[in-house]
Coordinates of all heavy atoms in Angstrom, one line a residue:
E1 N 18.3 -36.3 2.1 CA 17.4 -36.1 3.3 C 16.0 -36.2 2.9 O 15.4 -35.6 2.1 CB 17.8 -34.8 3.8 CG 17.0 -34.6 5.2 CD 17.4 -33.2 5.8 OE1 18.4 -32.6 5.4 OE2 16.7 -32.8 6.7
T2 N 15.2 -37.1 3.6 CA 13.8 -37.2 3.4 C 13.1 -36.5 4.5 O 13.3 -36.6 5.7 CB 13.5 -38.8 3.5 OG1 14.3 -39.4 2.5 CG2 12.1 -38.9 3.2
K3 N 12.0 -35.7 4.1 CA 11.1 -35.1 5.0 C 9.8 -35.4 4.7 O 9.4 -35.5 3.5 CB 11.3 -33.5 4.9 CG 12.7 -33.0 5.4 CD 12.8 -31.6 5.1 CE 14.2 -31.1 5.4 NZ 14.4 -29.7 4.9
K4 N 9.0 -35.6 5.7 CA 7.6 -36.0 5.6 C 6.8 -34.7 5.5 O 7.1 -33.6 6.0 CB 7.1 -36.7 6.8 CG 7.7 -38.1 6.9 CD 7.1 -38.8 8.0 CE 7.8 -40.3 8.2 NZ 7.2 -41.0 9.2
I5 N 5.7 -34.7 4.6 CA 4.8 -33.6 4.4 C 3.4 -34.1 4.8 O 3.0 -35.1 4.4 CB 4.9 -33.2 2.9 CG1 6.2 -32.6 2.6 CG2 3.7 -32.1 2.8 CD1 6.3 -32.3 1.1
R6 N 2.8 -33.2 5.6 CA 1.4 -33.7 6.1 C 0.4 -32.6 5.3 O 0.7 -31.5 5.4 CB 1.3 -33.4 7.6 CG 0.0 -33.9 8.1 CD 0.1 -33.9 9.6 NE 0.1 -32.6 10.2 CZ -0.9 -31.7 10.7 NH1 -2.0 -32.1 10.6 NH2 -0.5 -30.7 11.2
V7 N -0.5 -33.3 4.7 CA -1.6 -32.4 4.1 C -2.9 -32.8 4.8 O -3.3 -33.9 4.9 CB -1.6 -32.9 2.6 CG1 -2.8 -32.1 1.9 CG2 -0.3 -32.5 1.9
Q8 N -3.6 -31.7 5.1 CA -4.9 -31.9 5.8 C -6.0 -31.1 4.9 O -5.6 -30.0 4.5 CB -4.9 -31.4 7.1 CG -6.1 -31.4 8.0 CD -5.9 -30.9 9.3 OE1 -4.7 -30.8 9.7 NE2 -7.0 -30.5 10.0
C9 N -7.1 -31.6 4.8 CA -8.2 -30.9 4.0 C -9.5 -31.1 4.8 O -9.8 -32.3 5.0 CB -8.3 -31.4 2.6 SG -9.5 -30.6 1.5
E10 N -10.2 -30.1 5.0 CA -11.5 -30.0 5.6 C -12.5 -29.3 4.8 O -12.3 -28.2 4.4 CB -11.5 -29.5 7.0 CG -10.5 -30.1 8.0 CD -10.4 -29.5 9.4 OE1 -11.2 -28.6 9.6 OE2 -9.4 -29.8 10.1
I11 N -13.6 -30.0 4.5 CA -14.7 -29.3 3.5 C -16.0 -29.3 4.4 O -16.4 -30.3 5.0 CB -14.8 -30.2 2.4 CG1 -13.5 -30.3 1.5 CG2 -15.8 -29.6 1.4 CD1 -13.6 -31.3 0.5
S12 N -16.5 -28.0 4.4 CA -17.7 -27.8 5.1 C -18.7 -27.1 4.1 O -18.2 -26.8 3.0 CB -17.6 -27.0 6.4 OG -17.3 -25.8 6.0
D13 N -19.9 -26.9 4.6 CA -20.8 -26.1 3.7 C -20.3 -24.7 3.5 O -20.8 -24.0 2.6 CB -22.2 -26.1 4.4 CG -22.9 -27.5 4.4 OD1 -22.5 -28.3 3.6 OD2 -23.8 -27.6 5.2
E14 N -19.6 -24.1 4.4 CA -19.1 -22.7 4.3 C -17.8 -22.5 3.5 O -17.5 -21.5 3.0 CB -19.1 -22.0 5.5 CG -20.4 -21.9 6.3 CD -20.6 -23.3 7.1 OE1 -19.8 -24.0 7.5 OE2 -21.9 -23.5 7.2
K15 N -16.8 -23.6 3.7 CA -15.4 -23.3 3.2 C -14.6 -24.5 3.0 O -15.1 -25.7 3.5 CB -14.7 -22.4 4.2 CG -14.4 -23.1 5.6 CD -13.7 -22.2 6.6 CE -13.6 -22.9 7.9 NZ -13.0 -22.1 8.9
V16 N -13.5 -24.5 2.4 CA -12.6 -25.5 2.3 C -11.2 -25.0 3.0 O -10.9 -23.9 2.6 CB -12.3 -25.8 0.7 CG1 -11.1 -26.8 0.6 CG2 -13.6 -26.3 0.0
L17 N -10.7 -25.9 3.9 CA -9.5 -25.5 4.6 C -8.5 -26.5 4.1 O -8.7 -27.6 4.3 CB -9.8 -25.5 6.1 CG -8.6 -25.5 7.1 CD1 -7.8 -24.2 6.9 CD2 -8.9 -25.8 8.4
M18 N -7.3 -26.0 3.8 CA -6.2 -26.9 3.4 C -5.1 -26.4 4.1 O -4.7 -25.3 4.2 CB -6.0 -26.9 1.9 CG -7.0 -27.4 1.1 SD -6.6 -27.3 -0.7 CE -7.3 -25.6 -0.9
I19 N -4.4 -27.4 4.8 CA -3.1 -27.3 5.6 C -2.0 -28.1 5.0 O -2.2 -29.3 4.9 CB -3.4 -27.5 7.2 CG1 -4.5 -26.5 7.6 CG2 -2.1 -27.3 8.0 CD1 -4.9 -26.9 9.1
I20 N -0.8 -27.5 4.7 CA 0.3 -28.2 4.3 C 1.5 -27.9 5.3 O 1.7 -26.7 5.5 CB 0.6 -27.7 3.0 CG1 -0.5 -28.0 2.0 CG2 1.8 -28.6 2.4 CD1 -0.4 -27.6 0.5
E21 N 2.1 -29.0 5.7 CA 3.1 -28.8 6.9 C 4.2 -29.8 6.6 O 4.0 -30.9 6.2 CB 2.6 -29.0 8.2 CG 3.5 -28.6 9.3 CD 2.9 -28.7 10.7 OE1 1.7 -29.0 10.9 OE2 3.6 -28.6 11.7
D22 N 5.4 -29.2 6.7 CA 6.5 -30.2 6.5 C 7.5 -30.2 7.7 O 7.2 -29.4 8.8 CB 7.4 -29.8 5.3 CG 8.1 -28.5 5.4 OD1 8.6 -28.2 6.5 OD2 8.2 -27.9 4.3
E23 N 8.4 -31.1 7.8 CA 9.3 -31.2 9.0 C 10.4 -30.3 8.9 O 11.3 -30.5 9.8 CB 9.8 -32.7 9.0 CG 8.6 -33.8 9.3 CD 9.2 -35.2 9.4 OE1 10.3 -35.5 8.6 OE2 8.7 -36.0 9.9
G24 N 10.6 -29.5 7.9 CA 11.8 -28.8 7.7 C 11.9 -27.7 8.7 O 11.1 -27.5 9.6
D25 N 13.0 -26.9 8.6 CA 13.2 -25.7 9.4 C 12.4 -24.6 9.2 O 12.3 -23.7 9.9 CB 14.7 -25.4 9.3 CG 15.7 -26.5 9.6 OD1 15.2 -27.2 10.6 OD2 16.8 -26.6 9.2
G26 N 11.6 -24.5 8.1 CA 10.8 -23.4 7.8 C 11.7 -22.2 7.2 O 12.9 -22.5 6.9
F27 N 11.0 -21.1 7.1 CA 11.6 -19.9 6.6 C 10.9 -18.7 7.2 O 9.9 -18.8 7.7 CB 11.7 -19.9 5.0 CG 10.3 -19.8 4.4 CD1 9.7 -18.6 4.1 CD2 9.5 -21.0 4.2 CE1 8.4 -18.5 3.5 CE2 8.2 -20.8 3.7 CZ 7.7 -19.7 3.4
D28 N 11.7 -17.5 7.2 CA 11.1 -16.2 7.6 C 10.2 -15.7 6.5 O 10.6 -15.3 5.5 CB 12.2 -15.3 7.9 CG 11.7 -14.0 8.6 OD1 10.5 -13.8 8.6 OD2 12.5 -13.3 9.2
V29 N 8.8 -15.9 6.8 CA 7.9 -15.4 5.9 C 8.0 -13.9 5.6 O 7.7 -13.5 4.4 CB 6.5 -15.8 6.4 CG1 5.4 -15.3 5.5 CG2 6.4 -17.2 6.7
N30 N 8.5 -13.2 6.5 CA 8.5 -11.7 6.3 C 9.6 -11.3 5.4 O 9.6 -10.2 4.8 CB 8.8 -11.0 7.6 CG 7.7 -11.2 8.6 OD1 6.5 -11.1 8.3 ND2 8.1 -11.5 9.9
L31 N 10.5 -12.2 4.9 CA 11.6 -11.9 4.0 C 11.1 -12.3 2.6 O 12.0 -12.0 1.6 CB 12.8 -12.7 4.4 CG 13.5 -12.3 5.7 CD1 14.7 -13.2 6.0 CD2 13.9 -10.8 5.7
V32 N 10.0 -12.9 2.4 CA 9.6 -13.3 1.1 C 8.9 -12.1 0.4 O 8.1 -11.4 1.0 CB 8.5 -14.5 1.1 CG1 7.9 -14.8 -0.1 CG2 9.1 -15.7 1.8
P33 N 9.5 -11.7 -0.8 CA 8.9 -10.6 -1.5 C 7.4 -10.8 -1.7 O 6.9 -12.0 -2.1 CB 9.7 -10.5 -2.7 CG 10.8 -11.3 -2.5 CD 10.6 -12.4 -1.5
D34 N 6.7 -9.7 -1.8 CA 5.3 -9.8 -2.0 C 5.1 -10.3 -3.6 O 5.5 -9.6 -4.6 CB 4.6 -8.4 -1.9 CG 3.1 -8.4 -2.3 OD1 2.6 -9.4 -2.5 OD2 2.6 -7.2 -2.3
P35 N 4.5 -11.4 -3.7 CA 4.3 -12.1 -5.0 C 3.3 -11.2 -5.9 O 3.3 -11.5 -7.1 CB 3.8 -13.5 -4.7 CG 3.1 -13.4 -3.3 CD 3.8 -12.3 -2.7
M36 N 2.5 -10.4 -5.3 CA 1.6 -9.6 -6.1 C 2.2 -8.3 -6.6 O 1.6 -7.6 -7.4 CB 0.4 -9.2 -5.2 CG -0.3 -10.5 -4.7 SD -1.2 -11.5 -5.9 CE -2.7 -10.5 -6.1
S37 N 3.5 -8.0 -6.2 CA 4.1 -6.9 -6.6 C 4.6 -7.1 -8.1 O 4.9 -8.0 -8.6 CB 5.5 -6.6 -5.8 OG 6.3 -5.8 -6.5
M38 N 4.4 -5.8 -8.8 CA 4.7 -5.8 -10.3 C 6.2 -6.2 -10.5 O 6.5 -6.6 -11.6 CB 4.3 -4.5 -10.9 CG 5.1 -3.2 -10.4 SD 4.5 -1.8 -11.3 CE 6.1 -1.1 -11.8
Y39 N 7.0 -6.0 -9.5 CA 8.4 -6.3 -9.8 C 8.6 -7.8 -9.5 O 9.7 -8.3 -10.0 CB 9.3 -5.7 -8.7 CG 9.1 -4.1 -8.8 CD1 8.3 -3.3 -7.9 CD2 9.6 -3.3 -9.7 CE1 8.2 -1.9 -8.0 CE2 9.5 -2.1 -9.9 CZ 8.9 -1.4 -9.0 OH 8.7 0.0 -9.1
Q40 N 7.7 -8.6 -8.9 CA 7.9 -9.9 -8.7 C 7.3 -10.8 -9.9 O 7.6 -11.9 -10.1 CB 7.4 -10.4 -7.4 CG 8.1 -9.8 -6.2 CD 9.5 -10.2 -6.2 OE1 9.9 -11.3 -6.4 NE2 10.5 -9.3 -5.9
V41 N 6.2 -10.2 -10.5 CA 5.4 -11.1 -11.4 C 6.3 -11.6 -12.6 O 6.1 -12.8 -12.9 CB 4.3 -10.3 -12.0 CG1 3.5 -10.9 -13.1 CG2 3.4 -9.8 -11.0
G42 N 7.3 -11.0 -13.1 CA 8.1 -11.5 -14.1 C 9.2 -12.5 -13.7 O 10.0 -13.0 -14.5
K43 N 9.4 -12.6 -12.4 CA 10.5 -13.5 -12.0 C 10.1 -14.9 -12.2 O 9.0 -15.4 -12.2 CB 10.9 -13.2 -10.5 CG 11.4 -11.8 -10.5 CD 12.2 -11.5 -9.2 CE 12.9 -10.2 -9.2 NZ 13.6 -9.9 -8.0
R44 N 11.1 -15.9 -12.2 CA 10.9 -17.2 -12.5 C 10.6 -18.0 -11.1 O 9.9 -19.2 -11.1 CB 12.2 -17.9 -12.9 CG 12.5 -17.4 -14.3 CD 13.8 -17.9 -14.8 NE 14.1 -17.6 -16.1 CZ 14.1 -18.2 -17.3 NH1 13.7 -19.6 -17.2 NH2 14.4 -17.7 -18.4
S45 N 10.6 -17.3 -9.9 CA 10.3 -18.0 -8.7 C 9.3 -17.2 -8.0 O 9.0 -16.0 -8.4 CB 11.7 -18.1 -7.8 OG 12.0 -16.8 -7.5
G46 N 8.5 -17.8 -7.1 CA 7.5 -17.2 -6.4 C 6.1 -17.3 -7.0 O 5.3 -16.7 -6.5
R47 N 6.1 -18.0 -8.2 CA 4.7 -17.9 -8.8 C 3.7 -18.9 -8.0 O 2.5 -18.6 -8.2 CB 5.0 -18.6 -10.2 CG 5.6 -17.5 -11.1 CD 5.7 -18.0 -12.5 NE 6.3 -17.0 -13.3 CZ 7.3 -17.4 -14.3 NH1 7.4 -18.5 -14.6 NH2 7.8 -16.4 -15.0
G48 N 4.2 -19.8 -7.2 CA 3.3 -20.6 -6.5 C 2.5 -19.8 -5.5 O 1.2 -19.9 -5.3
L49 N 3.2 -18.9 -4.8 CA 2.5 -18.0 -3.8 C 1.7 -17.0 -4.5 O 0.6 -16.7 -4.0 CB 3.7 -17.3 -3.0 CG 4.4 -18.2 -2.0 CD1 5.5 -17.2 -1.3 CD2 3.4 -18.7 -0.9
L50 N 2.1 -16.6 -5.7 CA 1.2 -15.8 -6.5 C -0.1 -16.4 -6.8 O -1.3 -15.8 -6.5 CB 1.8 -15.2 -7.8 CG 1.0 -14.4 -8.8 CD1 0.6 -13.1 -8.2 CD2 1.7 -14.3 -10.0
L51 N 0.0 -17.6 -7.3 CA -1.3 -18.3 -7.6 C -2.1 -18.7 -6.4 O -3.3 -18.4 -6.4 CB -1.1 -19.6 -8.3 CG -0.5 -19.5 -9.7 CD1 0.0 -20.9 -10.2 CD2 -1.6 -18.9 -10.6
I52 N -1.5 -19.0 -5.3 CA -2.1 -19.2 -4.0 C -2.9 -18.0 -3.6 O -4.2 -17.9 -3.2 CB -1.3 -19.7 -2.9 CG1 -0.8 -21.2 -3.2 CG2 -2.0 -19.7 -1.7 CD1 0.4 -21.5 -2.3
R53 N -2.3 -16.9 -3.6 CA -2.9 -15.5 -3.2 C -4.1 -15.1 -4.1 O -5.0 -14.4 -3.6 CB -1.9 -14.6 -3.0 CG -0.9 -14.8 -1.9 CD -0.3 -13.6 -1.2 NE 0.8 -13.9 -0.3 CZ 0.5 -14.1 1.0 NH1 -0.6 -14.0 1.5 NH2 1.5 -14.4 1.8
C54 N -4.0 -15.4 -5.4 CA -5.1 -15.1 -6.4 C -6.3 -15.9 -6.2 O -7.5 -15.5 -6.3 CB -4.5 -15.3 -7.8 SG -3.3 -14.0 -8.3
Y55 N -6.1 -17.1 -5.8 CA -7.3 -18.1 -5.7 C -7.8 -18.3 -4.3 O -9.1 -18.7 -4.1 CB -6.9 -19.5 -6.3 CG -6.8 -19.3 -7.9 CD1 -5.5 -19.3 -8.5 CD2 -7.9 -19.3 -8.6 CE1 -5.5 -19.3 -9.8 CE2 -7.8 -19.3 -10.0 CZ -6.7 -19.2 -10.6 OH -6.5 -19.2 -12.0
M56 N -7.1 -18.2 -3.3 CA -7.5 -18.4 -2.0 C -8.0 -17.2 -1.3 O -7.5 -16.1 -1.6 CB -6.4 -19.1 -1.1 CG -5.9 -20.3 -1.7 SD -7.2 -21.5 -2.1 CE -7.5 -22.2 -0.6
D57 N -8.9 -17.3 -0.4 CA -9.5 -16.1 0.4 C -8.6 -15.8 1.6 O -8.5 -14.6 1.8 CB -10.8 -16.3 0.8 CG -11.9 -16.6 -0.3 OD1 -11.7 -15.7 -1.4 OD2 -12.6 -17.5 -0.5
E58 N -7.9 -16.7 2.2 CA -7.2 -16.5 3.3 C -5.9 -17.4 3.1 O -5.9 -18.6 2.7 CB -7.8 -16.9 4.6 CG -9.0 -16.0 5.1 CD -9.6 -16.4 6.3 OE1 -9.1 -17.3 7.1 OE2 -10.6 -15.7 6.7
V59 N -4.7 -16.8 3.4 CA -3.5 -17.6 3.4 C -2.7 -17.1 4.6 O -2.4 -16.0 4.9 CB -2.7 -17.1 2.1 CG1 -1.3 -17.8 2.1 CG2 -3.4 -17.5 0.9
K60 N -2.3 -18.1 5.4 CA -1.5 -17.9 6.7 C -0.4 -18.9 6.7 O -0.5 -20.0 6.4 CB -2.4 -18.1 7.8 CG -3.4 -17.1 8.0 CD -4.2 -17.5 9.2 CE -5.8 -17.3 9.1 NZ -6.5 -17.7 10.2
F61 N 0.8 -18.4 7.3 CA 1.9 -19.3 7.6 C 2.1 -19.2 9.1 O 1.8 -18.3 9.8 CB 3.3 -18.7 7.0 CG 3.3 -18.8 5.5 CD1 2.9 -17.8 4.6 CD2 3.8 -20.0 4.9 CE1 3.0 -17.9 3.2 CE2 4.0 -20.1 3.6 CZ 3.5 -19.0 2.7
N62 N 2.6 -20.3 9.6 CA 3.0 -20.3 11.1 C 4.2 -19.5 11.3 O 4.9 -19.1 10.3 CB 3.0 -21.8 11.6 CG 4.1 -22.6 11.1 OD1 4.9 -22.2 10.1 ND2 4.4 -23.7 11.7
E63 N 4.5 -19.3 12.6 CA 5.7 -18.5 12.9 C 7.0 -19.1 12.4 O 7.9 -18.4 11.9 CB 5.8 -18.3 14.4 CG 6.8 -17.3 14.9 CD 6.9 -17.1 16.4 OE1 5.6 -16.9 16.9 OE2 7.9 -17.1 16.9
K64 N 7.1 -20.5 12.4 CA 8.3 -21.1 12.0 C 8.4 -21.1 10.4 O 9.6 -21.2 9.9 CB 8.3 -22.7 12.5 CG 9.5 -23.4 12.3 CD 9.3 -24.7 12.8 CE 10.5 -25.7 12.5 NZ 10.4 -27.0 12.9
G65 N 7.3 -21.1 9.8 CA 7.4 -20.8 8.2 C 7.5 -22.3 7.7 O 7.9 -22.4 6.4
N66 N 6.9 -23.3 8.3 CA 6.9 -24.6 7.8 C 5.4 -25.1 7.6 O 5.3 -26.3 7.3 CB 7.7 -25.7 8.5 CG 7.1 -25.9 9.9 OD1 6.5 -25.1 10.5 ND2 7.5 -27.1 10.4
R67 N 4.5 -24.3 7.8 CA 3.1 -24.6 7.9 C 2.2 -23.5 7.1 O 2.4 -22.3 7.4 CB 2.5 -24.9 9.2 CG 1.1 -25.3 9.2 CD 0.9 -25.5 10.8 NE -0.5 -26.2 10.9 CZ -1.6 -25.5 11.3 NH1 -1.7 -24.3 11.2 NH2 -2.8 -26.3 11.3
L68 N 1.5 -24.0 6.0 CA 0.7 -23.1 5.2 C -0.7 -23.5 5.4 O -1.1 -24.6 5.2 CB 1.0 -23.3 3.7 CG 0.2 -22.4 2.8 CD1 0.2 -20.9 2.9 CD2 0.7 -22.8 1.3
E69 N -1.6 -22.4 5.7 CA -3.1 -22.7 5.9 C -3.7 -21.8 5.0 O -3.5 -20.7 4.8 CB -3.4 -22.3 7.4 CG -4.9 -22.5 7.6 CD -5.2 -22.4 9.2 OE1 -4.5 -22.7 10.0 OE2 -6.2 -21.6 9.4
M70 N -4.6 -22.4 4.1 CA -5.4 -21.8 3.1 C -6.8 -22.0 3.2 O -7.2 -23.2 3.5 CB -4.9 -22.3 1.7 CG -3.5 -22.2 1.4 SD -2.9 -22.9 -0.1 CE -2.8 -24.6 0.5
V71 N -7.7 -21.0 3.1 CA -9.0 -21.1 3.1 C -9.7 -20.5 1.9 O -9.3 -19.4 1.3 CB -9.6 -20.3 4.3 CG1 -11.1 -20.3 4.4 CG2 -9.0 -20.9 5.5
K72 N -10.7 -21.2 1.3 CA -11.4 -20.9 0.1 C -12.8 -20.8 0.6 O -13.4 -21.9 1.0 CB -11.2 -21.7 -1.0 CG -12.0 -21.3 -2.2 CD -11.6 -20.0 -2.7 CE -12.2 -19.5 -4.0 NZ -11.8 -18.1 -4.3
F73 N -13.6 -19.8 0.8 CA -15.0 -19.8 1.3 C -15.8 -20.1 0.0 O -15.6 -19.6 -1.1 CB -15.4 -18.4 1.7 CG -14.7 -18.0 3.1 CD1 -13.6 -17.2 3.1 CD2 -15.1 -18.6 4.2 CE1 -12.9 -16.9 4.3 CE2 -14.4 -18.5 5.5 CZ -13.4 -17.6 5.5
K74 N -16.9 -20.9 0.3 CA -17.9 -21.2 -0.7 C -18.7 -19.9 -1.1 O -19.1 -19.2 -0.2 CB -18.7 -22.4 -0.5 CG -17.9 -23.6 -0.3 CD -18.8 -24.9 -0.1 CE -17.9 -26.1 0.0 NZ -18.9 -27.2 0.3
R75 N -18.9 -19.7 -2.4 CA -19.9 -18.6 -2.7 C -21.3 -19.0 -3.1 O -21.4 -20.2 -3.7 CB -19.3 -17.9 -4.1 CG -17.8 -17.5 -4.0 CD -17.7 -16.2 -3.3 NE -16.4 -15.7 -3.3 CZ -15.6 -15.6 -2.3 NH1 -15.9 -16.1 -1.2 NH2 -14.4 -15.2 -2.4
V76 N -22.2 -18.4 -2.7 CA -23.6 -18.8 -2.9 C -23.9 -18.0 -4.3 O -23.8 -16.8 -4.6 CB -24.7 -18.2 -1.9 CG1 -26.0 -18.4 -2.3 CG2 -24.2 -18.7 -0.5
R77 N -24.3 -18.8 -5.2 CA -24.7 -18.5 -6.7 C -26.2 -18.3 -6.6 O -26.9 -19.0 -6.3 CB -24.2 -19.4 -7.7 CG -22.7 -19.5 -7.7 CD -22.3 -20.4 -8.8 NE -20.8 -20.6 -8.8 CZ -20.2 -20.9 -9.9 NH1 -20.7 -21.0 -11.1 NH2 -18.9 -20.8 -9.7
T78 N -26.6 -17.0 -7.3 CA -28.0 -16.7 -7.4 C -28.3 -16.8 -8.9 O -27.5 -16.3 -9.7 CB -28.4 -15.6 -6.7 OG1 -27.6 -14.4 -7.3 CG2 -28.3 -15.5 -5.2
P79 N -29.6 -17.4 -9.3 CA -29.9 -17.3 -10.7 C -30.1 -15.9 -11.1 O -30.5 -15.1 -10.4 CB -31.1 -18.2 -10.7 CG -31.6 -18.2 -9.4 CD -30.5 -17.9 -8.5
L80 N -29.7 -15.7 -12.5 CA -30.0 -14.4 -13.0 C -31.5 -14.1 -13.4 O -32.0 -15.1 -13.9 CB -29.1 -14.1 -14.3 CG -27.6 -14.2 -14.0 CD1 -26.9 -14.1 -15.4 CD2 -27.1 -13.0 -13.2
N81 N -32.0 -13.1 -13.1 CA -33.4 -12.8 -13.5 C -33.6 -12.3 -14.9 O -32.8 -11.6 -15.5 CB -34.1 -11.8 -12.5 CG -34.2 -12.5 -11.2 OD1 -34.1 -13.6 -11.1 ND2 -34.3 -11.6 -10.1

């Protein structure tokens, strides 16, 4: 079975927004164990969500569970004195 995946990326002065959506049935996001839990870190699955949550500032799934929205805000760097 072939499913299409749509990837959208928007870059502004304030943030980077990435949206990934597939044609699948999705999944119940509430049933996914917390990837940041010490009980999940050593498991072989779920590492993608762990990395996403570590690097992104906002992570949202749609109700159906087939669309992931990630936001990374740009940081203003100031020179050290």
Side-chain angles (χ1 to χ4, degrees):
E1 180 179 348
T2 302
K3 295 179 185 171
K4 292 181 182 178
I5 298 173
R6 184 172 61 98
V7 178
Q8 178 182 345
C9 183
E10 297 176 15
I11 301 172
S12 71
D13 291 339
E14 296 85 30
K15 66 183 178 182
V16 175
L17 167 67
M18 290 177 276
I19 301 172
I20 302 171
E21 184 174 2
D22 67 36
E23 295 178 329
D25 297 331
F27 62 97
D28 187 345
V29 177
N30 298 313
L31 296 179
V32 176
D34 179 4
M36 302 295 277
S37 164
M38 63 182 232
Y39 302 107
Q40 295 299 318
V41 172
K43 295 196 174 182
R44 293 179 186 247
S45 63
R47 291 186 181 141
L49 288 176
L50 174 64
L51 289 171
I52 289 169
R53 294 205 187 271
C54 284
Y55 288 103
M56 303 309 280
D57 296 314
E58 293 179 4
V59 178
K60 297 182 218 171
F61 289 91
N62 67 348
E63 187 175 313
K64 185 177 176 182
N66 70 331
R67 182 177 192 263
L68 171 62
E69 184 175 315
M70 301 169 281
V71 176
K72 182 68 178 176
F73 293 103
K74 292 184 180 179
R75 305 281 189 250
V76 176
R77 295 184 183 204
T78 56
L80 299 175
N81 294 337

